[in-house]
Amino acid sequence: MAIFDFRTDVAIDLGTANTLIYVRGQGVVLNEPSIVAVDSATRKMIAVGKEALQMHERTHKRIETIWPLQDGVIADFEVAEQLIRGLIAKLRKGWLSSIRQMVICIPSGITPVERRAVHDSAEHAGAKKVYLIAEPMAAAIGIGLNIVEPQGNMIVDIGGGTTEIAVIALSGICVDESIRVAGNELDNAILSYFKRYHNLMIGQRTAERIKREVGSAVPREQELEAEVKGRDMSTGIPQIKSITSEDVRAAIREVVEQIITAVWRCLERTPPELGADVLERGIMLTGGGAQLNGMDVVIKNRVNIPVHKVDNPLEAVVQGTGIVLENINKYNNIFL
């Protein structure tokens, strides 16, 4: 167990699928699913994070598992607060009262009301002072881009609930595009494909596993196969069926196309000088969706601009949020 100061500052990447926590002077100390298990009658928290995920789609009527964030924003205010409290309590019990400053990243396209919900959830969870930062900005800082210089850098961050696209220069977001289509929509597309073409009902965790193991956005040199367990929709009997990476590619093609179209829209609105910078430097691809096999290649082929998948794309946003936390005064002009 890490040793913390009595008063501590934290940075949080509060994501639809996963929440990552960075502690000042410690680095990233937690990465867990953004899910809470509650008692259906009392609404009291039973489990949070990994423990709650193990219960997901396996509960009885007295236990409900809830993803409090949908499409990158808070859908259940009360449970979102329980999520933050529960995950921080995993680091150190009774530690909430000692949090001085909390930096949280949010999608660039959310409304003022949604932004306020994030701010209030953090305050109610115990933070004395809350700062909000746009996810593309955090990602740019996290991968080491110089956001201060008068040159354009383009970020495509494919998370669980949203895809954030932005061109950044002079410590600001010059052009941005935020769509509520990302990793979760890829999973849903796989679910729908199995229902429609295989008459098989599968769980969301199974769909996510299929995406991770055999999913791809472009043809593979050697196509893969996987066995899938689910429930036959005609007989109601559990069944096992085989699926190939070609099947998964067909299932997610429309979602991938929506992400590429959003990149196009952002590029079309980018001023010529900044567009020239992007052409020279390329597009930086971050977020969990960057890990889909061939995602960088399919974007590059469509927009004809180099695309660089960064190292450890899952932590780009939280690392950037942590850097901002460590240097609050330096980055004071980028807070929302």
Side-chain angles (χ1 to χ4, degrees):
M1 175 71 69
I3 298 174
F4 300 101
D5 294 333
F6 178 71
R7 294 180 302 169
T8 315
D9 300 334
V10 299
I12 300 181
D13 175 8
L14 191 63
T16 303
N18 288 83
T19 293
L20 293 86
I21 298 180
Y22 178 109
V23 175
R24 181 190 287 277
Q26 301 280 335
V28 180
V29 296
L30 183 140
N31 178 359
E32 297 214 8
S34 303
I35 184 170
V36 180
V38 301
D39 184 297
S40 300
T42 65
R43 304 292 288 178
K44 290 185 67 175
M45 184 175 68
I46 297 171
V48 64
K50 293 176 182 176
E51 293 80 10
L53 183 63
Q54 290 174 349
M55 301 178 185
H56 187 50
E57 298 181 327
R58 290 188 170 96
T59 60
H60 49 74
K61 62 182 180 180
R62 293 195 306 275
I63 297 177
E64 182 182 2
T65 53
I66 301 171
W67 300 88
L69 288 99
Q70 300 292 330
D71 300 329
V73 298
I74 293 177
D76 190 318
F77 185 88
E78 180 185 352
V79 178
E81 185 181 328
Q82 289 180 326
L83 173 70
I84 297 172
R85 285 180 171 274
L87 292 179
I88 290 178
K90 283 191 173 189
L91 302 178
R92 180 177 174 182
K93 293 193 182 299
W95 185 46
L96 282 162
S97 60
S98 68
I99 296 178
R100 296 176 298 181
Q101 299 178 116
M102 185 183 290
V103 180
I104 302 183
C105 58
I106 57 174
S108 59
I110 70 173
T111 66
V113 173
E114 292 166 337
R115 186 183 303 175
R116 186 70 196 177
V118 176
H119 187 281
D120 289 350
S121 290
E123 280 193 337
H124 292 168
K128 305 297 184 298
K129 193 162 188 178
V130 180
Y131 300 91
L132 303 180
I133 179 176
E135 285 180 8
M137 184 68 76
I141 295 169
I143 63 177
L145 296 181
N146 186 346
I147 64 166
V148 178
E149 63 183 351
Q151 287 188 301
N153 293 289
M154 188 170 193
I155 298 288
V156 177
D157 181 74
I158 307 173
T162 64
T163 295
E164 301 292 315
I165 307 157
V167 176
I168 296 169
L170 295 170
S171 299
I173 294 177
C174 306
V175 185
D176 72 310
E177 187 80 26
S178 179
I179 60 169
R180 299 187 179 188
V181 175
N184 287 354
E185 283 300 310
L186 293 169
D187 297 342
N188 291 336
I190 294 171
L191 287 170
S192 298
Y193 184 87
F194 269 91
K195 287 181 186 177
R196 183 173 181 180
Y197 295 102
H198 293 274
N199 204 37
L200 195 72
M201 182 79 75
I202 63 172
Q204 195 156 13
R205 293 176 67 185
T206 299
E208 198 277 334
R209 178 182 64 81
I210 293 167
K211 177 185 68 178
R212 187 177 63 250
E213 293 180 358
V214 300
S216 67
V218 295
R220 292 175 177 265
E221 289 184 11
Q222 184 175 355
E223 301 293 350
L224 305 176
E225 283 192 19
E227 284 192 340
V228 181
K229 299 174 183 177
R231 176 167 57 85
D232 188 286
M233 294 175 65
S234 300
T235 65
I237 304 299
Q239 272 197 356
I240 298 177
K241 292 193 176 183
S242 293
I243 188 171
T244 68
S245 48
E246 293 173 290
D247 293 326
V248 180
R249 193 158 56 250
I252 65 176
R253 182 174 294 124
E254 186 176 332
V255 178
V256 171
E257 187 66 30
Q258 290 181 63
I259 293 172
I260 294 170
T261 300
V263 175
W264 264 113
R265 286 199 301 266
C266 192
L267 286 168
E268 286 173 344
R269 293 189 290 110
T270 301
E273 291 298 329
L274 292 176
D277 293 337
V278 172
L279 182 62
E280 179 182 343
R281 296 174 169 218
I283 298 169
M284 310 306 291
L285 187 61
T286 67
Q291 298 181 116
L292 178 67
N293 181 271
M295 180 60 86
D296 54 336
V297 176
V298 73
I299 296 175
K300 173 182 177 294
N301 290 344
R302 291 292 301 277
V303 302
N304 201 28
I305 293 175
V307 177
H308 310 291
K309 181 168 65 175
V310 306
D311 296 333
N312 199 2
L314 271 173
E315 289 195 1
V317 170
V318 73
Q319 290 288 359
T321 311
I323 291 170
V324 171
L325 177 72
E326 302 276 5
N327 304 273
I328 290 285
N329 293 332
K330 177 181 177 181
Y331 292 104
N332 196 48
N333 62 332
I334 67 170
F335 294 124
L336 301 175

